[in-house]
Amino acid sequence: MATRPIVFGEITGIEEGHWFEGRKEMMPTSFHRNWGAGIDGNGKEGTAAIVLSGGYEDDEDLGDEIIYTGAGGNDPKTGKQVKDQSWEQSGNAGLLKSMDEGLPVRVIRGHTHESEHSPDKGYTYAGLFSVVEAWEETGKSSFKICRFKLVYSGESSVKKPGQIDLDYGEREKKRVQGSIVRIVRDSEIANDVKRLYNYECQVCGTTINTKSGRYAEGAHIKPLGRPHNGDDNPDNLLCLCPNHHVMLDRGVFTIENNFTLQGIEGQLVIKEGHILSDQNLKYHREHVFRGKV
Amino acid sequence: MATRPIVFGEITGIEEGHWFEGRKEMMPTSFHRNWGAGIDGNGKEGTAAIVLSGGYEDDEDLGDEIIYTGAGGNDPKTGKQVKDQSWEQSGNAGLLKSMDEGLPVRVIRGHTHESEHSPDKGYTYAGLFSVVEAWEETGKSSFKICRFKLVYSGESSVKKPGQIDLDYGEREKKRVQGSIVRIVRDSEIANDVKRLYNYECQVCGTTINTKSGRYAEGAHIKPLGRPHNGDDNPDNLLCLCPNHHVMLDRGVFTIENNFTLQGIEGQLVIKEGHILSDQNLKYHREHVFRGKV
């Protein structure tokens, strides 16, 4: 369907808050190239735009933070999930690509779940978002769904190469920032865990020596924040090097209850007194781990 | 001077916007334990609070983003730099520790640079900030200064262990997030560079294989954003694994114009057609690199 080249980022003349009467109007500018699908993208190039149409019963729209359900497996009439979704599905694979490469995703909010005669119809451009997490769940209809967390990117109105030329006029030119690929946060509790391991990665033993001391990252097994709501607690925390932190978060490997690794070779180093929650390990295996590469 | 234990994060009864008539009022609660110094912290525990007093000619206060000049070397009367600052100085070493461990820093804005009889006197609590960058510069007075970038942490009103107990009353309890340790952003240009290297780290050759493809990070030699204003351009970009990205940003190693590494063993892999800017490499060596560990 999508024969025009994919375009990432802002598009001339379509500012945040822009209202579209229908999906057709989004096509000539490549703002969203697909008439029927909610996701405009693929696993090779990434995903450039999504429509939040209220078509998926599991979507959650919190304004600057969106929990988005991937494509596939739903009945187009009722929106109900009728079979499993897959990470190989083109739009879902595209959202993973956008996450890994920090590509900006245009988010479009549809108002068409209201009656067609409601004044609240059409679509609004909500701005550029970054895909910051992907995981799988059993949806309300007991089928597997692919889920994505997107956060509003804020400073987004910048020209990118290969993007349709923008006429800023008097608009302030914002600094090129690109999309967020990942945010690493630490807490006092994470620091306790890091100190216990003397800042050595529990997977590979690596530590990063800086002038101010050793550097490691506190990695949560069950992710913090919506919708996982993992705890900031030692039984949910590992001391990892940045490489293995990325790999844990991206589901490249996971951990058995006996600390054997799955997805990569090896065994997690566990110091005496550091007790991991079996529940959290199970959550990671079932929701975050994406199987052997 | 500081004999009470250091306290990180929020302190009971002192909310953002709290006004202090003088520095003395900050001491009983350990909000800021040092009468005379701008920085409350040390290299072992980290820095818990800083005062922006207008005392340093090189400070820049942009609201949610602050460029803070470290301690030492200035004339207390004029605020002018009269000798070099050092990373070993206790407060500066504490800010590095807070950066590496993601410890929250209370920022206090002083209004005492105005006349003592001005209505605009006293101090205001500006909230919790994260230290996200540290580098060195030649200040306006041609002496070396240690510089820090702090960003407002937003969702900060959470109780941390070891912190004085908070009585939130009806206030919404926010999710534990901790401070930002690092933000990784990527752009279309960074992706071009990563593709050129097939997502293999230019320092160690590592790549991270995920289900959606290979993962690497685009690392800027001269940092993006204020005050460095490095470009998002291939001549300022490297393809690195997360570990070497952290090490480049933290100044653990740097790169000679002939691509020999300094600080760690090795040689940067450079593909034909990828030309790095000598200016940017020089900037990294002079401002970001902190010498052999």
Side-chain angles (χ1 to χ4, degrees), chain A residues 101 181 184 199 211 290, chain B residues 101 181 184 199 211-212 290:
Chain A
E101 307 227 322
V181 176
V184 179
Y199 303 84
K211 274 288 223 187
R290 282 195 225 127
Chain B
E101 305 227 323
V181 177
V184 179
Y199 303 85
K211 274 289 225 187
S212 48
R290 280 192 226 130

Side-chain angles (χ1 to χ4, degrees), chain A residues 172-185:
Chain A
E172 192 196 354
K173 286 188 189 179
K174 288 179 178 169
R175 185 166 60 83
V176 178
Q177 286 220 305
S179 278
I180 293 166
V181 176
R182 53 193 302 258
I183 298 175
V184 179
R185 290 175 189 268

